């Protein structure tokens, strides 16, 4: 069984930064790809960034150059550094894993509880 616990959300002005953390509680974190997703009100949940077990990364076009996903296998933690935040980034952010070495975004097995990010203009 895997439990994911996010933290780091909050209220920030446009242009500001936040760093989200997601702690993976379970076995074999290093073998699992991880993803950060977000869901704005009345919108579908979307993949923002993903990192494979080997460290390869993928980003949604809208966040390229502003967001960075990283992982620390010694701490069983995945991070999302968000810079130059915009009001359109406002959403609940979730981490998730498909339990595979490369993320399968439509087959997430485990989700965190979510953390709210609000960007004011």
């Amino acid at each position: 069984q895997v439990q994911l616990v996010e933290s780091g959300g909050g209220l920030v002005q446009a242009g500001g930064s936040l760093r989200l953390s997601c702690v993976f509680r379970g076995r074999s974190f290093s073998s699992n790809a991880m993803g950060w997703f977000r869901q704005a009100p009345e919108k579908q949940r979307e993949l923002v960034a993903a990192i494979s077990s080997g460290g390869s990364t993928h980003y949604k076009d809208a966040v390229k150059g502003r967001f960075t996903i990283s992982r620390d296998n010694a701490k069983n933690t995945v991070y999302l550094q968000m810079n130059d935040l915009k009001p359109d980034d406002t959403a609940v952010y979730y981490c998730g894993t498909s339990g595979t070495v490369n993320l399968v975004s439509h087959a997430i097995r485990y989700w965190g509880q979510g953390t709210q990010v609000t960007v004011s203009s």
Side-chain angles (χ1 to χ4, degrees):
Q1 189 69 13
V2 171
Q3 183 182 17
L4 302 176
V5 181
E6 300 110 333
S7 61
L11 172 64
V12 64
Q13 289 188 332
S17 298
L18 285 173
R19 188 176 82 155
L20 306 183
S21 300
C22 172
V23 177
F24 178 106
R25 294 176 177 167
R27 293 183 176 180
S28 303
F29 171 71
S30 61
S31 300
N32 283 267
M34 301 295 298
W36 282 100
F37 298 75
R38 67 186 181 189
Q39 187 167 16
E42 300 182 1
K43 291 189 176 180
Q44 288 193 337
R45 192 172 298 188
E46 61 180 4
L47 177 65
V48 174
I51 186 166
S52 72
S53 62
S56 298
T57 57
H58 166 81
Y59 297 94
K60 175 181 172 65
D61 284 347
V63 307
K64 284 181 180 177
R66 300 190 296 122
F67 291 11
T68 302
I69 188 170
S70 61
R71 63 190 300 154
D72 184 337
N73 289 340
K75 295 183 178 180
N76 280 17
T77 302
V78 61
Y79 303 98
L80 186 68
Q81 177 67 44
M82 304 185 294
N83 298 328
D84 190 22
L85 282 160
K86 305 178 186 300
D88 283 350
D89 296 318
T90 295
V92 178
Y93 283 71
Y94 300 87
C95 66
T97 182
S98 50
T100 51
V101 296
N102 293 298
L103 193 73
V104 182
S105 61
H106 61 271
I108 299 299
R109 295 183 62 189
Y110 301 103
W111 292 100
Q113 82 283 0
T115 185
Q116 177 71 46
V117 172
T118 303
V119 184
S120 63
S121 57

